[in-house]
Amino acid sequence: MLHTIRTRQAVRFLLGLVDDEDTAERVRTRTGLPGSDDPSELRGARLSAWFTGTAPVSLLLWVLEEDDPELNTLVWRHPRADEFFRRAIARGVPFGAGRTAPVAVEARLRGSEPPVPEAYTRYGLAGALAEGTSMAAARRAASMVLTADDWAEAARADAAGPLPGYTRWALAVRPDCPPALRARFGDHPKFTHRVRRAGVLAGPASYATGWEPAGQVLSVLTLGAELFPRRVGEAEDALRPLVRDHLGDREEAWAVLAQVVDTFHGTVPELMITSGALA
């Protein structure tokens, strides 16, 4: 049976969550999946999944949290990397927990920072945020919020008098927006849903269990050990009990999953539940 690279990636990633190697070997035999593939071919396919514009924006933040100059170039090139991401990378802003030292900037990216907004030059950060009376102006101003001190100033500005709605939204859909400030901007379920659909997720577990399509999610997660090793374990921990409950040592369930993953439009848990039920 021939399988696409995405199918092989998906099954291999989920098999990595199975504790019993005998079970994994039986599944590989039943599904006709090879034990290994050409590493360069696999990485190219995984990076194709990473660069898709439908990946949630929080993924970019998890990569930045590694504070790795080489990984930052992958964020820079991502279609969802806006002025904030590129400005932060160009300035060497650290995102890893507890880190304060600047991150080195790859030579090819030095001097590539997006232009500083005129409103920021004229009025400072708080003034520029207050001038965000269009989405474009709000996003430009929000791109200057880079550090914890900047977020504190944005919070003070909003407390002094609510910032324009465009500015609040531009800040709310930043994956690094402090949760307390985002809650101040809106806590209605409809607002929360819009933020999530914009790609702001609580963490890798939320991505693994609630994003779609399943095949793309699993392809990105296969890169987790390379792109966001500090956080990928959260996704693995969320999926491991689902693998056990719905696939386990049932070779037929794994075979069904291998057949449908490429065209399945739901989430990874839905994929496993469906595969187990069909088997």
Side-chain angles (χ1 to χ4, degrees), residues 63-64 66-76 89 92 99 102-110:
V63 178
L64 287 183
E66 297 299 320
D67 290 330
D68 183 314
E70 185 176 350
L71 293 180
N72 284 357
T73 64
L74 293 179
V75 174
W76 183 286
I89 292 169
R99 177 166 182 143
V103 180
V105 180
E106 290 277 278
R108 75 194 94 168
L109 301 182
R110 293 172 190 160

Side-chain angles (χ1 to χ4, degrees), residues 256-273:
V256 171
L257 185 144
Q259 291 173 357
V260 305
V261 62
D262 261 348
T263 56
F264 193 82
H265 295 292
T267 64
V268 177
E270 290 168 345
L271 169 66
M272 290 190 279
I273 292 169

Side-chain angles (χ1 to χ4, degrees), residues 30-64:
R30 172 64 182 83
T31 58
L33 290 166
S36 61
D37 286 295
D38 175 40
S40 61
E41 178 187 40
L42 276 178
R43 193 169 196 275
R46 292 197 301 262
L47 285 177
S48 294
W50 158 251
F51 280 118
T52 179
T54 59
V57 70
S58 284
L59 273 170
L60 278 63
L61 177 62
W62 304 334
V63 178
L64 287 183

Side-chain angles (χ1 to χ4, degrees), residues 172-256:
V173 294
R174 280 272 300 274
D176 59 330
C177 179
L181 182 58
R182 184 181 291 120
R184 185 197 299 176
F185 293 154
D187 58 4
H188 189 277
K190 183 179 292 187
F191 175 84
T192 302
H193 176 72
R194 287 182 63 210
V195 169
R196 176 179 172 78
R197 294 318 301 169
V200 178
L201 307 179
S206 180
Y207 175 60
T209 59
W211 205 256
E212 54 189 41
Q216 178 188 305
V217 170
L218 291 170
S219 290
V220 172
L221 289 178
T222 61
L223 271 177
E226 297 177 58
L227 294 184
F228 46 101
R230 299 185 193 185
R231 305 293 302 273
V232 69
E234 299 171 39
E236 294 171 341
D237 290 344
L239 293 178
R240 191 171 286 109
L242 296 170
V243 171
R244 182 189 62 240
D245 293 344
H246 299 289
L247 300 174
D249 61 358
R250 300 167 60 198
E251 297 166 30
E252 290 302 318
W254 286 95
V256 171

Side-chain angles (χ1 to χ4, degrees), residues 26 54 56 77-78 136:
R26 288 199 308 273
T54 59
R77 292 161 49 202
H78 196 280

